[in-house]
Amino acid sequence: MHRPPRSQWEAGGGGAWACLQGGRAGSGAPDRVAPLRSGPVAAMPECPELHLAGRYINEACGGMVFSGGVERSEVGRGPEVPFSSEAYRISATSRGKELRLTLAPLGPGQPQDLVFRFGMSGSFRLCPAAQLPRHAHLRFLSRESPPRALCFVDARRFGSWRLGDAWQPGRGPCVLSEYQAFRENVLKNLDDKAFDKPICEALLNQKFFNGIGNYLRAEILYRLKIPPFEKARTVLEALKDQEQARRKKNPSLTLSKKLKLMQEIPDLLELCHTVPMEVIAAEKQLLDPDHSDNYAAFKNWLQCYLVPGMSSLRDRNGRTVWFQGEPGPMAPKGQTPRKKRAQLKADPEAQTPKVTTRASKQHPRAAAKRLKSPKEEEVADGPRKGRACRRRKAAAAPASSKPEALAKAKRSCRTSARRARGAAPAV
């Protein structure tokens, strides 16, 4: 199987897109690799990546039959899976920053559920069982020959899984699949101490913003021109007042009219839903394995996160916040916003600069000297006129007469006296 270059496609670079590979079962299609955001745009997987990972598993593995037990690596951050079946299928569902796998036997037996968190670099891949990727911590083997393996791959090992179908307690409604419940959960709990913090920190609180992560919060705040260190309650109470006024003015708004209003005048909570949906809707451009410019397409989609010219600060949790303009009244003291500089790309047609020697840098005129004639070269090859040479000449010279020595001593004394008085020496 031909693999694209590691730097752009391999899973060890941050895992903001679920890196998935494999063709559809029974289609005869070769294994394919879905691109991964890596390198300078690396970020933790957020709700769009979890959603797309679940969609991929359902599409790629929907017609496949798996068999046997579940293999676990020795260093995987999750328990052994006490499940084995001669034939079973796998399906996936996502919610916020979690993904649930269901292993359903085709014969007698109870299904087994697993709930995954991707951490910083988690992803799923479908690949030949004989060519397992590195850091494949959980493996589900197909019954075909030769077998393939659906692998949970996590290079940094912050991802984990647990047994059962329950979502993690304390996580709020998903910003993608449970938008109305998510909105109500935020607006009715504005007295919670979580909203005493800056809005950039509140957006990462999964109790209220389940699925929002670092790159999504930067894009949402940038589009609304909200300073990241504005108090969260101040920002959201204004939305509550606007919503109450809107209901009084139009008490009988239909769902289609509400959606139209969201598109025309979006607020922060609405963008928590629509911005992740943009990533999912742009899957063909950003995640298509046959699209050679997928990495550049995602960079072009970003308006704030890691974009040159934008400023950054660290919040009180140590996470970098990207923004434009003033940081806001609750910005951490002692920090100066840093601007990201544009990285200049090398021009392949540009001429290679001339190498300048150290000597020519120190003495620019030396490089412009004309070539020496043979006579000058002979003179140059002669003995250098240094201190040692002068000492030898002085030793070899005949002793001067006494009157001349006295005259020289007197001239030297007069010169020293003039210098002491600050007068210029006689010419």
Side-chain angles (χ1 to χ4, degrees), residues 256-267 270 274:
S256 60
K257 288 183 179 179
K258 287 181 180 179
L259 292 174
K260 188 177 180 181
L261 280 172
M262 282 177 61
Q263 295 172 354
E264 292 176 354
I265 316 172
D267 61 37
E270 289 162 357
T274 57

Side-chain angles (χ1 to χ4, degrees), residues 135-146:
H135 313 292
H137 299 305
L138 212 59
R139 303 177 287 273
F140 308 87
L141 301 178
S142 69
R143 198 169 65 170
E144 61 194 342
S145 182

